[in-house]
């Protein structure tokens, strides 16, 4: 009887130790998920900052493009009046270069927006997982 009681006590202690280990593991996993979420949130904030910079750059290039277009119109008018076809062709080439540059910046901004959406989706998933872990505790 004493041996049975000792075995029951040992089994109870083993069950308690197992439960404590499971609890510690769950806490560790939860902390890892929280750290991962913080990392994702920081990266998303960085991407948002880069996106803002790109949007500002796009805005500046759009203004420059509008100025280039206006300059081209004026140059074309001068060229027509003065017969300076070469000057007009140069202005058109510069405008095309500015337009190509703007398209490149817009493409890069679109890529950054796509990455940002991916990061926001990851943040959402991790937030859900974290909430589930907290509820499971």
């Amino acid at each position: 009887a004493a041996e049975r009681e000792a075995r029951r006590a040992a089994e109870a202690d083993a069950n308690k130790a197992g439960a404590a280990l499971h609890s510690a593991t769950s806490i560790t996993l939860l902390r890892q998920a929280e750290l991962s979420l913080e990392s994702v949130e920081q990266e998303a904030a960085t991407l948002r900052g880069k996106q803002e910079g790109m949007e500002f750059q796009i805005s500046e290039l759009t203004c420059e493009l509008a100025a280039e277009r206006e300059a081209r119109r004026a140059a074309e008018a001068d060229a027509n009046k003065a017969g300076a076809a070469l000057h007009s062709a140069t202005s058109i080439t510069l405008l095309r270069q500015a337009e190509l540059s703007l398209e490149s910046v817009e493409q890069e901004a679109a890529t950054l927006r796509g990455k940002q959406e991916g990061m926001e989706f990851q943040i959402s998933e991790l937030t859900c997982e974290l909430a589930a872990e907290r509820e499971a505790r």
Side-chain angles (χ1 to χ4, degrees), residues 18-104:
L21 177 60
H22 179 69
S23 178
T25 301
S26 295
I27 290 170
T28 300
L29 290 174
L30 179 60
R31 286 186 181 144
Q32 288 173 346
E34 288 171 343
L35 290 175
S36 182
L37 177 61
E38 287 175 11
S39 172
V40 169
E41 287 171 341
Q42 288 175 354
E43 190 170 347
T46 300
L47 286 173
R48 282 192 285 277
K50 287 180 181 179
Q51 180 182 348
E52 288 175 11
M54 295 300 295
E55 288 172 352
F56 179 75
Q57 211 175 3
I58 288 169
S59 175
E60 284 186 328
L61 286 173
T62 301
C63 290
E64 287 179 28
L65 181 58
E68 282 286 330
R69 284 181 177 157
E70 185 56 37
R72 183 188 69 171
R73 287 184 195 108
E76 286 174 348
D78 289 346
N80 288 337
K81 290 176 186 172
L86 179 59
H87 184 325
S88 178
T90 301
S91 294
I92 290 170
T93 300
L94 289 173
L95 175 61
R96 286 185 183 143
Q97 289 173 347
E99 289 171 339
L100 290 174
S101 193
L102 176 60
E103 287 175 10
S104 172

